[in-house]
């Protein structure tokens, strides 16, 4: 199968919508990362996602919808969940709620909950409008590897595995959505940190939002299921990645060196940076692209500068991804 990259003409959007309705896979741009989409109510189509990514079937998928009205067809909403959807959708927030019976088991990995979000990327919203179906979509990378933030990244991992990618340019946020579990409306829990922070959720819900599970290391060992968003090794380059503080660019030409901000003065090819001046939005937007570039350049190791812990906000999400990317490979993860 040859993978084709499509520009967003009205004709192409109609073609891709028809392909999705027929049960084919299409990689789609979102504001966070690219997703690998299939018709969410078609179990066979969703099965292809797991095959293409090499993803274990006990890791459930996020369903993408146009708005709250469509989301309510798939899940049992409570008032706190509606409040969050009204405030943060379309946007980088995924809400976990009890599922309705129309959602296939393969999407939820047999759980009685479903994860839903309404993406803000204008092209994917146009696609959702034309296709008129919900789209199940995990990130469009091989399982365990760095998430894609451009159409070229998608092809890098999945060329030949899928028929189409919709090219929507580079993702503006760059790290995956915040996942909040509202199955128990009295006890909201963040399962994965993202651009929407615990503080922002708390302000709307007026209750404590727990982040406990983020640090529950090794939790996947204790259950048969993969604890959502909690695989301790994930988002990883193939080159060993080491988190470091305080070193100078002059050292070690065989090591790719990733700094938070562009270093001053002259430096060699092995020096990379995540932002001009350290802005966290820019760091998040560039993180996966720079990790990929460093990984592809054939260095023995990659060093990445540590972000101060406890800076809160987007730093929590960035630190979470960098830590997982640097965690030692576990058995069974490619
Ligand atoms: O920003 C994003 O969320 C991107 C874009 C494409 O929307 N998607 C994404 O999907 O990051 P993925 O599959 O790479 O991560 C989805 C996470 C997984 O950790 C999965 O375990 C969790 O969502 N998840 C899915 N369904 C769940 C459920 N019912 N309960 C708890 N966690 C769930
Ligand atoms: Mg992923």
């Amino acid at each position: 199968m040859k993978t084709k990259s499509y520009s967003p003409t009205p004709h192409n959007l109609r073609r891709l919508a028809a392909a999705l309705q027929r049960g084919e896979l299409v990689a789609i741009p979102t504001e966070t990362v690219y997703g690998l989409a299939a018709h969410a109510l078609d179990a066979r189509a969703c099965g292809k996602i797991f095959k293409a990514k090499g993803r274990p079937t006990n890791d459930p998928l996020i369903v993408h919808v146009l708005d709250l009205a469509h989301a309510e067809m798939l899940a049992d909403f409570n008032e706190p969940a509606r409040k969050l959807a009204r405030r943060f959708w379309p946007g980088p927030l995924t809400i976990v709620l009890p599922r309705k019976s129309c959602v296939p088991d393969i999407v939820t990995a047999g759980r009685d909950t479903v994860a839903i979000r309404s993406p803000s990327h204008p092209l994917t919203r146009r696609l959702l409008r034309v296709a008129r179906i919900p789209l199940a979509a995990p990130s469009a990378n091989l399982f365990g590897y760095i998430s894609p933030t451009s159409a070229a990244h998608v092809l890098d991992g999945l060329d030949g595995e899928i028929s189409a990618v919709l090219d929507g340019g580079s993702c503006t946020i760059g790290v995956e959505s915040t996942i909040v579990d509202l199955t128990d409306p009295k006890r909201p829990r963040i399962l994965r940190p993202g651009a929407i922070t615990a503080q922002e959720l708390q302000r709307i819900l007026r209750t404590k939002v727990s982040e406990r599970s983020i640090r529950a290391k090794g939790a996947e060992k204790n259950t048969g299921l993969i604890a959502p968003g909690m695989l301790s090794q994930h988002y990883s380059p193939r080159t060993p990645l080491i988190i470091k503080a305080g070193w100078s660019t002059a050292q070690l030409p065989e090591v790719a060196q990733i700094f938070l901000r562009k270093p001053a003065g002259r430096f060699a090819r092995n020096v990379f940076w995540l932002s001009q001046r350290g802005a966290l939005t820019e760091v998040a937007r560039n993180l996966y692209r720079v990790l990929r570039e460093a990984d592809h350049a054939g260095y023995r190791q990659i060093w990445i500068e540590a972000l101060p812990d406890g800076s809160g906000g987007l730093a929590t999400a960035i630190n979470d991804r960098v830590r997982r990317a640097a965690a030692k490979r576990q058995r069974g993860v490619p």
Side-chain angles (χ1 to χ4, degrees):
M1 183 190 311
K2 183 130 182 51
T3 308
K4 201 172 162 217
S5 190
Y6 288 85
S7 61
T9 63
H11 174 73
N12 283 345
L13 285 170
R14 277 197 303 275
R15 261 175 87 158
L16 295 178
L20 286 162
Q21 287 165 342
R22 278 198 306 273
E24 287 172 31
L25 301 184
V26 175
I28 56 169
T30 85
E31 69 279 25
T32 58
V33 301
Y34 273 69
L36 181 55
H39 188 332
L41 304 180
D42 178 343
R44 257 195 49 203
C46 293
K48 295 180 189 171
I49 292 177
F50 293 89
K51 196 154 168 279
K53 277 186 62 109
R55 179 179 174 111
T57 47
N58 59 356
D59 194 2
L61 308 174
I62 295 175
V63 181
H64 298 66
V65 294
L66 199 54
D67 53 28
L68 178 57
H70 287 88
E72 297 227 26
M73 296 177 195
L74 307 173
D76 290 325
F77 271 69
N78 46 52
E79 251 335 287
R82 284 195 189 99
K83 269 194 192 153
L84 292 186
R86 286 193 198 107
R87 171 65 185 80
F88 296 108
W89 283 1
L93 180 70
T94 297
I95 308 178
V96 174
L97 287 166
R99 68 151 156 173
K100 292 206 161 142
S101 58
C102 60
V103 180
D105 277 344
I106 190 160
V107 170
T108 67
R111 291 163 190 247
D112 48 16
T113 56
V114 61
I116 306 189
R117 89 176 187 98
S118 176
S120 68
H121 195 290
L123 292 185
T124 284
R125 297 190 64 72
R126 273 166 63 193
L127 192 61
L128 282 165
R129 249 183 229 112
V130 179
R132 304 176 64 183
I133 50 173
L135 297 175
S139 50
N141 50 291
L142 294 175
F143 182 69
Y145 195 62
I146 305 161
S147 297
T149 53
S150 72
H153 295 169
V154 175
L155 290 177
D156 190 33
L158 295 174
D159 196 8
E161 297 292 326
I162 59 175
S163 57
V165 51
L166 172 59
D167 190 347
S170 293
C171 302
T172 52
I173 293 177
V175 293
E176 299 82 352
S177 61
T178 306
I179 304 181
V180 61
D181 184 346
L182 267 172
T183 315
D184 177 353
K186 293 205 191 68
R187 272 195 272 156
R189 282 193 314 143
I190 290 187
L191 301 180
R192 179 176 70 185
I196 294 174
T197 63
Q199 289 79 354
E200 286 178 278
L201 298 178
Q202 259 158 219
R203 214 171 300 137
I204 303 299
L205 294 176
R206 296 170 180 282
T207 40
K208 171 108 187 82
V209 175
S210 115
E211 291 183 276
R212 201 164 36 98
S213 62
I214 297 168
R215 274 173 274 282
K217 247 185 141 183
E220 67 265 26
K221 287 194 199 118
N222 305 328
T223 62
L225 297 167
I226 288 179
M230 286 160 67
L231 266 183
S232 46
Q233 189 269 323
H234 212 65
Y235 318 105
S236 301
R238 298 193 176 90
T239 316
L241 176 71
I242 298 164
I243 304 171
K244 289 243 180 202
W247 76 93
S248 96
T249 55
Q251 301 163 359
L252 298 163
E254 74 280 16
V255 170
Q257 306 183 9
I258 304 179
F259 292 89
L260 291 172
R261 55 169 72 196
K262 186 176 178 185
R266 284 157 51 85
F267 36 77
R269 286 188 50 244
N270 63 330
V271 171
F272 299 78
W273 57 91
L274 297 171
S275 70
Q276 292 293 321
R277 277 185 279 277
L280 290 182
T281 48
E282 209 187 331
V283 170
R285 190 181 309 135
N286 292 326
L287 176 66
Y288 289 151
R289 175 183 57 79
V290 172
L291 277 176
R292 271 176 189 262
E293 282 170 13
D295 196 25
H296 283 41
Y299 292 100
R300 187 171 58 80
Q301 278 183 355
I302 304 170
W303 291 2
I304 188 163
E305 194 180 351
L307 199 64
D309 228 349
S311 343
L314 198 46
T316 308
I318 297 167
N319 273 333
D320 170 75
R321 302 312 190 278
V322 171
R323 248 183 248 126
R324 286 177 214 268
K328 271 221 175 65
R329 266 159 214 285
Q330 295 160 349
R331 250 181 307 148
V333 178

